[in-house]
Amino acid sequence: MSWFDMTIFVSTFITLTVILDPPGAVPIFLALTGSLTKTQRNVAARRASLVAVFVIAMFALFGQSILDYLHISIAALQGAGGLLLLLVALELLTGKESDSLADAGVNVALVPLGTPLLAGPGAIVATMLAVQRSDAASEYVAVAAALVAAMLLVYLVLRFAGQVRGLLRESGTMLLTRIAGLLLSAIAVQMVADSVRAFVSGQS
């Protein structure tokens, strides 16, 4: 159909799905929402997905203008996101997340779940590039549909992550929390390292 470019949709959807990595977000989601009720976890899953869609969409539309106006590079954005995730990862590793995240409630869906975990530099840049490469209405529609479809997939995975928690019980959840902290710290360090590498190579 002339109003929808299926090739752009498939390529963008696959790219975003790989970057967002829904299965990889499950242990982190469970760790961050461990003190919440089932209903609150469902709300957190929905809110995180909506926040991520909104943030990525805003950057896709106005991101380059905002960054240029504030004189902020993608590398700086990536470094800041990495540092934020590292703080959360340290709380998970040391077991201090229970108090802080319990007070935060479903607001953990905003930070760090919605951003920068889901709506991170990778997903933001990928969507911005897809929009910049588009020059027809059908391609813009395809990119938007791919973003919504990818986030719907993320939501469904997180929505049913609570069933995994039920199988793990308390001891398994605690172990998963520590593993999630380790994985999240690795993701954070990689983001910071990529940011520093971009600065050194002059790509900022």
Side-chain angles (χ1 to χ4, degrees):
M1 293 180 289
S2 60
W3 60 272
F4 191 82
D5 193 315
M6 182 58 69
T7 301
I8 297 294
F9 170 80
V10 172
S11 62
T12 305
F13 174 76
I14 293 176
T15 300
L16 287 176
T17 301
V18 170
I19 293 174
L20 293 170
D21 187 20
V26 170
I28 299 173
F29 174 78
L30 290 176
L32 293 174
T33 59
S35 61
L36 304 183
T37 65
K38 179 180 178 180
T39 300
Q40 288 177 320
R41 281 197 302 272
N42 294 340
V43 172
R46 181 173 67 252
R47 187 174 295 178
S49 302
L50 291 175
V51 167
V53 167
F54 175 77
V55 171
I56 294 176
M58 289 299 98
F59 270 95
L61 295 174
F62 312 110
Q64 196 59 55
S65 299
I66 295 174
L67 294 180
D68 290 341
Y69 178 77
L70 297 176
H71 303 290
I72 298 175
S73 66
I74 295 296
L77 183 67
Q78 190 171 15
L83 291 175
L84 179 59
L85 287 182
L86 186 58
L87 292 176
V88 177
L90 291 176
E91 289 189 342
L92 295 179
L93 285 171
T94 57
K96 296 179 180 179
E97 83 288 346
S98 56
D99 295 334
S100 61
L101 294 181
D103 294 338
V106 294
N107 287 330
V108 298
L110 304 179
V111 178
L113 283 177
T115 181
L117 187 58
L118 293 178
I124 288 173
V125 172
T127 308
M128 286 175 61
L129 292 177
V131 170
Q132 291 174 6
R133 287 194 297 263
S134 301
D135 54 12
S138 60
E139 297 178 352
Y140 289 117
V141 172
V143 172
L147 173 60
V148 172
M151 280 304 171
L152 179 60
L153 177 60
V154 170
Y155 166 71
L156 291 175
V157 172
L158 297 183
R159 171 66 174 76
F160 294 102
Q163 298 179 0
V164 177
R165 175 180 171 81
L167 295 174
L168 294 175
R169 301 182 182 277
E170 185 176 352
S171 58
T173 301
M174 183 178 297
L175 175 61
L176 190 63
T177 298
R178 300 300 179 264
I179 295 175
L182 180 61
L183 293 176
L184 192 59
S185 63
I187 293 173
V189 171
Q190 185 64 55
M191 289 175 64
V192 174
D194 291 343
S195 173
V196 172
R197 188 179 300 113
F199 275 113
V200 172
S201 61
Q203 296 177 6
S204 60

